[in-house]
Amino acid sequence: MSQFAALSLGHQRPVEVRFETYKQRQAAIARYRLYPLTIFYTTYVGLILLIASLSTHSRIAAAFFLAGCATWTLVEYLFHRYVLHGRFPPGKGMIRRFLHERLDPLHWDHHMRPFDGHHISGELKDILPLFFVAVPVSFLFPVYTTPVLLAGVVQGYVAEEWLHYALHFSKSKVPLFRRLKKYHLYHHSPRGINKGYGITTRFWDGVFDTRYPDAVRQSLSRN
C-alpha cells in the first residue's frame, strides 16, 4: 500500500498526506461516531442489568445476558453476509428504494475505502427504529429473561463495533487479536470478499461454509 493518501478538506483540492497521518485522522472520525452509540446503548444495558440483579433470578438473568451476547454473533454474521453484502437493485416502492439507497452504499463504500472513518462503523441512528420496537416487545416477558437477552444482543453490537474499529486501526501483540485482524483484512481483499463474514468469531463461517480455503486459514493463523 502506498505510504501516502489523498485527504479531502471540504471544498478544497485534496492534498496528499502520509498514510499513517491519514489513518490517525480517520480513526478519530470513527471514534467520535462510536461515542454516542456506545454511551446510549451501554447505559440502557446497565439499567436493565441493574433491575434484573435486584430480582430473585439473578443467575437466570446472567444466563440470558450471555445468551444474548452469543446471539449477536449470529445476527452479525447474517446481517454482514445477506444485508451488507447484498445487492439491492433500484425499483419502485419505499422498501426497495430504501434498501438500494440506504444499504448498498453503507458497506460497499467501506470496502472501497476500508480506512475511511465515515464508513468503519455505524451510528446511533442506524438501529434506533428497530431498538424502539424491540424494547417494548421484550418487556412482555419477565425482566430477567427477554429484556436481559436483548441487552446482551445490544452490548454484543457495541462490542463488535469497537472490535471492527480496532481491527482496522489498532495494533496488538496479542495472538488472538492478530489472527482476527488478519482474518478480517483478508475479507477486504478481492479473494476474500465473498467469504469470512464473521468479525467477532469464525464459528458461523464454519457452520455456513463460508470459511477461507485451508491454505489461507493456515497462513492467517500464523502470528
Side-chain angles (χ1 to χ4, degrees):
M1 184 176 290
S2 172
Q3 293 183 337
F4 296 88
L7 182 65
S8 177
L9 301 175
H11 296 292
Q12 301 177 25
R13 183 178 179 181
V15 296
E16 202 172 65
V17 298
R18 292 191 62 83
F19 186 68
E20 285 304 315
T21 302
Y22 166 79
K23 280 184 63 176
Q24 290 173 3
R25 295 178 183 179
Q26 296 306 309
I29 293 172
R31 285 197 306 275
Y32 282 111
R33 286 165 58 91
L34 280 174
Y35 289 149
L37 176 155
T38 303
I39 293 170
F40 178 84
Y41 289 119
T42 303
T43 299
Y44 172 79
V45 170
L47 290 173
I48 294 298
L49 292 180
L50 177 61
I51 295 171
S53 69
L54 297 176
S55 72
T56 57
H57 304 282
S58 57
R59 291 186 178 180
I60 296 176
F64 270 91
F65 181 75
L66 294 176
C69 293
T71 299
W72 168 252
T73 65
L74 175 59
V75 174
E76 165 205 308
Y77 173 89
L78 295 175
F79 190 78
H80 189 185
R81 180 179 180 181
Y82 293 109
V83 178
L84 296 182
H85 275 260
R87 288 289 193 176
F88 302 98
K92 296 181 180 180
M94 181 177 66
I95 295 178
R96 290 191 65 180
R97 187 165 61 250
F98 172 83
L99 291 174
H100 174 70
E101 295 177 357
R102 175 65 177 166
L103 295 183
D104 273 352
L106 190 65
H107 197 64
W108 292 107
D109 283 353
H110 173 53
H111 273 270
M112 289 188 290
R113 297 184 296 278
F115 295 100
D116 186 332
H118 292 284
H119 299 287
I120 287 289
S121 58
E123 293 183 275
L124 175 59
K125 63 182 177 62
D126 288 341
I127 65 168
L128 270 183
L130 180 61
F131 177 77
F132 284 134
V133 171
V135 169
V137 172
S138 74
F139 276 98
L140 295 175
F141 304 90
V143 68
Y144 55 85
T145 60
T146 308
V148 174
L149 179 75
L150 178 62
V153 171
V154 169
Q155 197 60 54
Y157 166 63
V158 173
E160 180 268 327
E161 289 285 18
W162 278 105
L163 175 61
H164 187 228
Y165 164 89
L167 295 178
H168 281 268
F169 292 119
S170 301
K171 297 179 181 179
S172 174
K173 294 183 179 180
V174 176
L176 176 60
F177 179 84
R178 290 169 63 87
R179 289 194 294 270
L180 286 173
K181 184 180 180 76
K182 289 191 289 186
Y183 191 85
H184 180 66
L185 293 184
Y186 189 80
H187 170 71
H188 277 273
S189 72
R191 293 183 178 181
I193 193 171
N194 293 319
K195 292 184 179 295
Y197 297 106
I199 296 176
T200 55
T201 176
R202 306 179 187 184
F203 176 77
W204 297 111
D205 282 310
V207 171
F208 294 105
D209 196 25
T210 53
R211 297 179 299 176
Y212 301 133
D214 290 342
V216 173
R217 296 204 310 275
Q218 292 174 8
S219 175
L220 297 177
S221 297
R222 300 191 190 101
N223 290 313

